[in-house]
Amino acid sequence: MKRYKKEEPLSYTLGASLTFQLLEQRPDLAREVVMHPRMEGETAEKAQTLCKKLGIPFSVSEKPFNILSPKENCFLIGSFEKFSPALDTEKNHVVLVSPSNAGNLGTILRSCLGFGYQDVAIIRPAVDIFDPKTVRASMGALFGIRFAYFDTFAEYASAYGQERAYYPFMLQTDMPLHKTEFAARHALIFGNESSGLPAEFLELGKPVIIRHSQLIDSLNLPIAVSIALYEATKDRL
Amino acid sequence: MKRYKKEEPLSYTLGASLTFQLLEQRPDLAREVVMHPRMEGETAEKAQTLCKKLGIPFSVSEKPFNILSPKENCFLIGSFEKFSPALDTEKNHVVLVSPSNAGNLGTILRSCLGFGYQDVAIIRPAVDIFDPKTVRASMGALFGIRFAYFDTFAEYASAYGQERAYYPFMLQTDMPLHKTEFAARHALIFGNESSGLPAEFLELGKPVIIRHSQLIDSLNLPIAVSIALYEATKDRL
């Protein structure tokens, strides 16, 4: 196990519960599990037994922890092959235009899975979905999400836009979220943490605003996404 | 400026926009501003001018950055006196029972301000609201919030519970958030990130659930709080 790099084919699950998510949900991707020498007890046994059962190499060593997680309270690391699922054409999508924060992206994936939006399109430039910080913040949700990167929104639209209504979330509209009726097949579109969506998205679909007080500039991105997903699904869940 | 300690009377704003929030919203609390030698241009001038106008000591030094923000992209630090506002008896409250993560608490404060819940009660044991990580994640919202710590929920209730309806957010109920009618004066109550609220809260008010899919264990705490605030205020904002 070596320092994480975007260009390399492997990423890591830092922490016991995250590594169990990997082993339980995507054992086909798991390549190796390393345990810290100071880890013991039931969880340690469970990890070893599960790896043996799945045929995944298991070892005890401190070194990968110094490289991958020097400051964290982490005693189990898994490595896994990066994967590239395709989106489901029939399902509703979340589209993230240039998300820049790894933790935020992970938190968004967790909410997407929580509200039944399992298809996430990401428009570049954007943070790396396999960054171990994203994997960690997703609490394993990454393994249950279909996602795909696109160079431009137009590229996404030509691949998945057929018979799909677009709802860009923007401040420059007065259509509030709770009065919006979402079409049967849709994409909810969100901009970058600092800059939001470019004005051109106003013309591209039915813009929606999540109203808030004037005392803050904007809502945190994962929170805006989650509120939208809640509102769009609350009668179904 | 020295390493942050819970016991000491000062906390810090790490970063330029946060420090401007301090100077603009609570100049009465600000004690000192230090700029990194590598900071220059308009923002640097603005900081210096504003401090001069407000009579707040301003200096240029690298040392506080090494102590307080060794790894971050931060070029301006303010120090401020901790304060202890009282809650407003007439307003709706958010009650956080044993929140444990500093960043989460800051994100929650930002949402509270965004949805007009400016009164936040915190039940111990709990993270320190003046932790610079909380201040930072709040993006300055801390300076617009009234908050108070209590040793037990009973202590909060005896001080602020008169004619107030309680809505504990819990998984052990089938009353969904979007069907809940909130009483005119209320408290929305949320548990710890890992353990949620103790079962005794089921008897203490009208429990509410934010429904989500079985594919995740729970929603992230700031997200659950924000969804609740959105739903409770959406007809007013």
Side-chain angles (χ1 to χ4, degrees):
Chain A
M1 291 186 181
K2 46 191 180 179
R3 190 168 300 284
Y4 175 76
K5 280 191 184 156
K6 195 176 173 178
E7 303 73 37
E8 301 278 341
L10 293 184
S11 183
Y12 304 97
T13 52
L14 306 179
S17 61
L18 196 55
T19 301
F20 282 114
Q21 293 268 3
L22 168 65
L23 296 175
E24 281 155 16
Q25 291 189 53
R26 295 301 304 264
D28 56 311
L29 300 175
R31 285 271 286 266
E32 187 187 354
V33 171
V34 179
M35 191 171 83
H36 195 284
R38 278 195 285 133
M39 187 171 178
E40 47 189 27
E42 251 180 64
T43 315
E45 273 175 46
K46 189 182 156 192
Q48 190 158 11
T49 309
L50 191 54
C51 284
K52 197 172 175 186
K53 188 179 138 198
L54 295 167
I56 293 163
F58 179 93
S59 59
V60 178
S61 164
E62 197 175 330
K63 207 176 156 198
F65 293 86
N66 299 333
I67 297 170
L68 286 164
S69 182
K71 279 191 160 183
E72 316 217 26
N73 188 22
C74 164
F75 297 97
L76 200 65
I77 297 180
S79 67
F80 65 93
E81 287 170 41
K82 295 180 181 179
F83 52 106
S84 52
L87 305 184
D88 187 330
T89 321
E90 304 297 314
K91 297 286 169 63
N92 291 324
H93 295 175
V94 166
V95 180
L96 303 172
V97 179
S98 302
S100 64
N101 180 285
N104 280 353
L105 179 56
T107 305
I108 290 169
L109 297 179
R110 182 175 167 198
S111 283
C112 285
L113 198 57
F115 289 110
Y117 280 71
Q118 285 183 254
D119 295 83
V120 177
I122 302 170
I123 314 298
R124 295 190 183 93
V127 68
D128 171 20
I129 201 166
F130 289 112
D131 186 314
K133 288 195 214 82
T134 304
V135 181
R136 188 162 198 174
S138 87
M139 293 185 73
L142 173 67
F143 302 120
I145 291 286
R146 294 176 290 267
F147 58 86
Y149 278 83
F150 301 89
D151 284 329
T152 61
F153 183 80
E155 193 189 300
Y156 162 77
S158 81
Y160 291 102
Q162 296 80 359
E163 296 172 55
R164 187 179 297 277
Y166 295 137
Y167 299 94
F169 281 73
M170 309 181 72
L171 297 174
Q172 309 93 314
T173 175
D174 53 12
M175 183 63 201
L177 172 61
H178 69 284
K179 300 215 164 141
T180 302
E181 300 273 345
F182 291 100
R185 189 184 300 169
H186 61 252
L188 308 181
I189 309 169
F190 302 88
N192 169 267
E193 285 89 343
S194 305
S195 52
L197 284 173
E200 68 212 53
F201 278 88
L202 280 170
E203 310 301 322
L204 207 135
K206 296 170 187 165
V208 181
I209 186 168
I210 306 174
R211 285 191 192 147
H212 57 73
S213 78
Q214 298 307 308
L215 297 172
I216 62 167
D217 290 332
S218 66
L219 293 166
N220 163 286
L221 179 62
I223 282 175
V225 175
S226 304
I227 288 173
L229 300 180
Y230 160 79
E231 182 69 62
T233 59
K234 66 186 188 183
D235 295 322
R236 289 185 277 130
L237 278 174
Chain B
M1 290 185 181
K2 46 192 179 179
R3 191 170 299 285
Y4 175 77
K5 280 191 183 154
K6 195 177 172 179
E7 302 74 36
E8 301 279 340
L10 293 183
S11 183
Y12 304 97
T13 52
L14 306 179
S17 62
L18 196 55
T19 302
F20 282 114
Q21 292 269 4
L22 167 64
L23 296 176
E24 282 154 17
Q25 291 189 53
R26 295 300 304 264
D28 56 311
L29 300 174
R31 284 271 286 265
E32 189 186 352
V33 171
V34 179
M35 191 172 85
H36 195 284
R38 277 195 287 133
M39 187 171 178
E40 48 189 26
E42 250 181 63
T43 315
E45 272 175 46
K46 188 183 155 193
Q48 191 157 11
T49 310
L50 190 54
C51 284
K52 197 170 173 187
K53 187 180 137 197
L54 295 166
I56 293 163
F58 178 92
S59 58
V60 178
S61 164
E62 198 175 330
K63 207 176 156 200
F65 293 85
N66 299 333
I67 297 169
L68 285 164
S69 181
K71 278 193 162 183
E72 318 218 24
N73 188 21
C74 164
F75 297 98
L76 199 66
I77 297 180
S79 67
F80 65 94
E81 288 169 42
K82 296 181 181 177
F83 53 107
S84 51
L87 304 184
D88 187 330
T89 322
E90 304 297 315
K91 297 286 170 61
N92 291 326
H93 295 174
V94 166
V95 180
L96 304 172
V97 179
S98 301
S100 63
N101 180 287
N104 279 353
L105 179 56
T107 306
I108 290 169
L109 297 179
R110 181 175 166 198
S111 283
C112 285
L113 198 57
F115 290 110
Y117 280 70
Q118 287 184 252
D119 296 83
V120 177
I122 302 170
I123 314 299
R124 295 189 183 95
V127 68
D128 170 20
I129 201 167
F130 289 112
D131 186 314
K133 287 196 217 76
T134 304
V135 181
R136 187 160 198 174
S138 87
M139 294 186 73
L142 173 67
F143 302 120
I145 290 284
R146 292 176 292 267
F147 59 85
Y149 278 83
F150 301 89
D151 283 328
T152 61
F153 184 80
E155 194 188 300
Y156 161 77
S158 83
Y160 291 101
Q162 295 82 357
E163 297 171 55
R164 186 179 298 277
Y166 296 137
Y167 298 94
F169 282 72
M170 309 181 72
L171 298 172
Q172 310 93 313
T173 175
D174 53 12
M175 183 64 201
L177 172 61
H178 69 284
K179 301 216 164 140
T180 302
E181 300 272 346
F182 292 100
R185 188 184 301 168
H186 60 251
L188 309 181
I189 308 168
F190 302 88
N192 169 266
E193 286 89 343
S194 305
S195 52
L197 284 173
E200 68 211 56
F201 278 88
L202 280 170
E203 310 301 321
L204 208 136
K206 296 171 187 168
V208 181
I209 186 167
I210 304 173
R211 285 192 194 145
H212 58 73
S213 77
Q214 297 306 306
L215 297 172
I216 62 167
D217 290 332
S218 66
L219 293 166
N220 163 286
L221 179 62
I223 282 174
V225 175
S226 304
I227 288 173
L229 299 180
Y230 159 79
E231 182 68 63
T233 60
K234 66 187 188 184
D235 296 321
R236 288 185 276 130
L237 278 174

